[in-house]
Amino acid sequence: MKKIGILTSGGDAPGMNACVRASVRAALANHLEIFGIRWGYAGLIRGDMIPLDRRAVANIIQQGGTILGTARSEEFRTKEGRARAINMLQDTGIEGLILIGGDGSFRGGTLLSQECGVSVVGIPGTIDNDCYGTDYTIGFDTAINTALEAIDRIRDTATAHDRLFFVEVMGRHTGFIALESGIAGGAEEFLIPEIPMSIDELSGRLQENFKEGKRSAIVVVAEAEQPGESFHIAQEVKDKTGFDSRVCILGNIQRGGAPTARDRVLASRLGATAVQALIDGKGGYMIGEVNREITYTPLKDTWEKKKAGHYLKIRGFSRGNQGRFFAHRLSFRPG
Ligand code: F6P
């Protein structure tokens, strides 16, 4: 293998730049040429790529976003779109491709590798942490720390006013961000999509808490299917309990900012390992980290298999057993 490409796809995540940097440096150290493909699959279809050298990735380890740009490409979902992308890869002689993204990007990567002879390796980069095959995705740690900082600030004003707050965090169809930022922030209740809970139950629990002397509370809500749903939830809780509240939607703030040390280290390790995987002929896998060990998960599994249950279980957050303490405090999205 002489020439490889790298792209970032889907929602950006802090640490993507650290990953690009590590892959570039590892590629050059192994005498490979490496091209940065701009704007994800959309750029691949257009042939928008630039050669990357050591200098091109200098001083980016601390930067959020992605120097390559990213996008969600509708065209790449079509066979015709992918055929154009394959032509571009063949024209430029790229034999191996590193994809940094989430499960949607890996779905596209699986099809791409099935439809052409290029070796494709995935690296999990999304704040959502919803990729099967890795304990953590690049960007998750930064995102939960950003959310935590916001929760801590909201705690101050909630306490000062004796108020109930609904704090809505990102995470698409999963509650990883809600769970970890909420636990760290001492949230009173959680609404996450993994286990549904009705408004009645949530209202009852809040009422119980307030009867026992609580004067303020924070409910962390995962955005799930409908970002902004917290406003409706707050209104419904008010209708049932009379509790006035404030709603805070953290939104895309969670995607920006300098990556934490943990994200930079994870990104650097996975970025360098991905290059080695291409050299070793291990295409078709996502490189992840489970119990701090590098793992190779077939790309197909990363989006076909669900991480949620497994993740909650290994961390002891399942209902029953030692997760009881959390389970009884966790409230979940209305079903
Ligand atoms: O996948 C990352 C993510 O931030 C999700 O948590 C969120 O649902 C989505 O992207 C938002 O995407 P956009 O910024 O394109 O609206």
Side-chain angles (χ1 to χ4, degrees), residues 62 81 106 121 174 179 275 312 315 317 332:
Q62 78 285 10
F106 298 152
V121 170
T174 58
L179 199 58
V275 171
L312 296 173
R315 305 217 167 275
F317 291 130
F332 302 97

Side-chain angles (χ1 to χ4, degrees), residues 134-326:
T134 191
D135 283 345
Y136 292 105
T137 55
I138 297 166
F140 175 68
D141 189 60
T142 308
I144 58 171
N145 279 291
T146 302
L148 176 61
E149 191 188 332
I151 292 169
D152 286 348
R153 287 169 187 258
I154 289 166
R155 176 73 68 193
D156 290 344
T157 176
T159 311
H161 283 268
D162 280 351
R163 244 180 204 156
L164 169 62
F165 268 84
F166 291 85
V167 181
E168 186 175 299
V169 298
M170 280 186 160
R172 210 179 280 275
H173 309 298
T174 58
F176 295 109
I177 297 178
L179 199 58
E180 294 216 10
S181 64
I183 287 170
E188 277 69 19
E189 301 290 344
F190 297 74
L191 292 173
I192 64 171
E194 283 80 355
I195 306 175
M197 184 168 111
S198 68
I199 293 285
D200 277 350
E201 194 181 344
L202 174 63
S203 301
R205 290 160 82 113
L206 289 170
Q207 275 170 323
E208 229 174 84
N209 272 341
F210 279 81
K211 228 186 274 160
E212 281 170 8
K214 215 168 223 324
R215 306 186 64 85
S216 65
I218 293 180
V219 181
V220 175
V221 183
E223 62 174 3
E225 297 297 332
Q226 268 209 296
E229 179 73 4
S230 299
F231 286 106
H232 298 125
I233 295 171
Q235 185 58 52
E236 285 184 53
V237 168
K238 185 173 185 182
D239 293 344
K240 294 211 179 295
T241 62
F243 293 157
D244 194 22
S245 64
R246 292 290 183 273
V247 174
C248 227
I249 302 202
L250 302 188
N252 290 61
I253 279 178
Q254 295 159 95
R255 286 237 297 264
T260 58
R262 257 187 101 138
D263 271 333
R264 297 183 201 192
V265 171
L266 177 67
S268 302
R269 191 176 188 210
L270 299 186
T273 309
V275 171
Q276 194 57 50
L278 287 177
I279 293 168
D280 295 343
K282 281 194 184 152
Y285 290 95
M286 182 196 80
I287 315 294
E289 209 189 65
V290 174
N291 295 330
R292 304 258 162 166
E293 297 290 332
I294 290 289
T295 52
Y296 299 82
T297 303
L299 267 185
K300 209 161 181 277
D301 288 358
T302 64
W303 50 273
E304 275 191 349
K305 295 190 178 172
K306 271 256 159 293
K307 179 180 182 181
H310 162 73
Y311 178 84
L312 296 173
K313 202 160 155 220
I314 60 169
R315 305 217 167 275
F317 291 130
S318 55
R319 285 182 191 242
N321 62 44
Q322 82 270 40
R324 214 175 300 124
F325 168 69
F326 289 108

Side-chain angles (χ1 to χ4, degrees), residues 12 17-18 23-24 31 40 54 99-100 103 117 122 133 154 156 165 180 237 247 279 281 332:
D12 62 312
N17 281 329
S23 293
V24 169
H31 313 291
R54 284 186 69 80
L99 311 173
I100 310 171
D103 56 350
I154 289 166
D156 290 344
F165 268 84
E180 294 216 10
V237 168
V247 174
I279 293 168
F332 302 97

